[in-house]
Amino acid sequence: MESKVRKKSVIELIVRNIFRVFLILLFLFPVGILFWVSVKTPKDISNNLLGWPTQWNLSENYSKAVEKMDFVVGIRNSLIVTIISTVCLCVFSSMAAWVLVRRKSKISTFIFMLFSVSMLIPFQCVMIPLLKLWGKRGISGMDFFGYNFNFLSHTGLILAYIGFGSAMSILLYHGFIKGIPVELEEAAAIDGCSNVGIFFKIVFPLLGPITTTVAIINIMWIWNDYLLPKQMIGGTRSYWTLPLQTYSFFGSFTVDWGVAAAALLLIMAPVIIFYLVAQKKIVKGVVDGAVK
Amino acid sequence: MKRSKIIYWLFLAPCLICFLGFVIIPTIMGFYYSLTDWNGIRDSYDFVGFKNYKTAIDEEQFWYSFGYTALFTFCSVILINGIGFLLALLVTRKFKLANAMRGVFFMPNLVGGLLLGYTWKMIFTKVFPATGLPILGNWLTDNKTGFAGLLILMVWQMSGYMMIIYIAGIQNIPDSVLEAASLDGASGLKKMFKITIPMVAQSFTIGLFMVLSNSFKLFDQNLSLTAGGPNHTNEMLALNIYNTAYASSKFGPAQAKAVIFFLCIAVISVIQLTITKRAEVEA
């Protein structure tokens, strides 16, 4: 009797573990197959896609992908835009949230409401006017006392990210700052600390946990974003970020899937490495942002 | 002006200026353009009232995309939440692989929509036919299998995300409640339907609306997987608006569609807010 029960539980354990491993493999399958295709020659891809490669074509596919996609330029542009936008968003939106929480007035409530409601606006709603306002026929084409600012550049794109990202970031900071007792700031004010000093020396260091969340949400969003850069810098190839490179790459080189798969893996790599390094913080950040 | 007031506006200025310049002013301009015959290039345009809205509403493809998007949203809400919940149940048991599984299931969520779309495009157009199985042909050649393909992509991407949200809900259930139920002789299934599911109800509301708004606004994945093709039969709303503007150069009707799109999202969000508020009061 006893051995029967044990036998059953052993079989159950094996079945369960097989099922678990199967699920893991199912989720890893797309990335795995990308790698499998990326080591093959075009001939193998058309005749022998799933089988063992007759000839390994790994280094050629990857070097072709790097070259055709301008991978180095793309990753540099993506890093510039993502890092600067995220840093600006963390600093500026925590500043804004702080004054909105600490100075209670009708105007504060109104501004906070405006930020919150704006999150409903879909990008399709602003995509056409955005280009009209900031493009060559708008502000970028104007003369300011002899100077001409081109906003269809990384600067313009970063300013746009601050604009589009501040609502979510301010909302997160706002909720967090409400929970910080004001006494600490009052004590510092009595000691003669200026407002700016109070914020940067006392308040900002306290915001650590929420700053991580805000940073992660913005990094994930900006790194992968396609439409906003398409509108702002789509016209100048040397400014392109990775998503723009990806789109153009697949518009012209779809035939050679070996190179394409290598390109996809190369673009995924930074995100996957980032995830492996900071998994816990990323999961927490993404979920905190979603729940609020 | 008092010093503190200067500080107030100075601290608000960077966010507020960018926000007004890139979000609020373009939105207002957008509402206005939807009422004019602006064609995207000319500098002059005239006020035409609701003509663009009529053009948009009369267009058959717009309603097709609307229906397609609605059906897709419905299916993805049910599938992604269902699978996410099952995955959460699976990994909240204690076993060696549990943490690794969480990590793997969540990973696709971080990869950008374009990359996901192209990856699955390769799977559907190259890997599926290569298996030689009759049902696994090229799935992107018509709207039924194309629909299923996009659904599979979204399930792969988002169910891990929902899993994390349900894990939080499941872990909030006190062990004592489940133990008490076991002592009273409740079976596994009974515990599931009488305890676990009611106690994660709030997570369901969050998950439901998150998938809802994500699927309704879906763009990148749609663009890269099929680009709406063949012949616009897999074109969702957001892509339809984009194509109306940039493929057909009908900027007025595109802007009118965008405003309709915005109103739909606003209605969904108001419903969401009412439901969440009510749930909070009850809890």
Side-chain angles (χ1 to χ4, degrees), chain A residues 58-71:
Chain A
L58 189 134
S59 61
E60 201 189 321
N61 280 342
Y62 280 85
S63 56
K64 247 191 196 162
V66 169
E67 181 195 330
K68 286 199 174 163
M69 203 175 42
D70 262 341
F71 184 69

Side-chain angles (χ1 to χ4, degrees), chain B residues 7-34:
Chain B
I7 295 279
Y8 178 80
W9 289 108
L10 220 60
F11 269 48
L12 271 177
C15 278
L16 202 57
I17 291 170
C18 294
F19 173 66
L20 291 176
F22 287 94
V23 182
I24 297 301
I25 295 171
T27 305
I28 295 166
M29 284 167 72
F31 278 112
Y32 179 70
Y33 285 140
S34 73

Side-chain angles (χ1 to χ4, degrees), chain A residues 115-169:
Chain A
F115 274 116
S116 310
V117 173
S118 80
M119 291 204 294
L120 295 181
I121 302 168
F123 188 72
Q124 276 71 19
C125 227
V126 293
M127 117 192 130
I128 302 166
L130 199 66
L131 213 60
K132 163 100 177 143
L133 179 64
W134 291 96
K136 290 270 183 288
R137 289 167 170 277
I139 295 173
S140 292
M142 285 180 192
D143 248 14
F144 293 98
F145 311 107
Y147 288 100
N148 174 276
F149 297 102
N150 179 17
F151 283 97
L152 302 181
S153 62
H154 283 165
T155 316
L157 182 60
I158 289 166
L159 291 175
Y161 275 126
I162 299 173
F164 282 98
S166 53
M168 183 67 175
S169 308

Side-chain angles (χ1 to χ4, degrees), chain B residues 72-98:
Chain B
F72 182 82
T73 307
F74 178 76
C75 295
S76 66
V77 163
I78 289 179
L79 269 179
I80 295 173
N81 281 294
I83 293 174
F85 182 65
L86 291 179
L87 292 180
L89 286 179
L90 189 77
V91 301
T92 41
R93 289 163 175 258
K94 287 185 182 71
F95 59 97
K96 264 188 190 161
L97 278 174

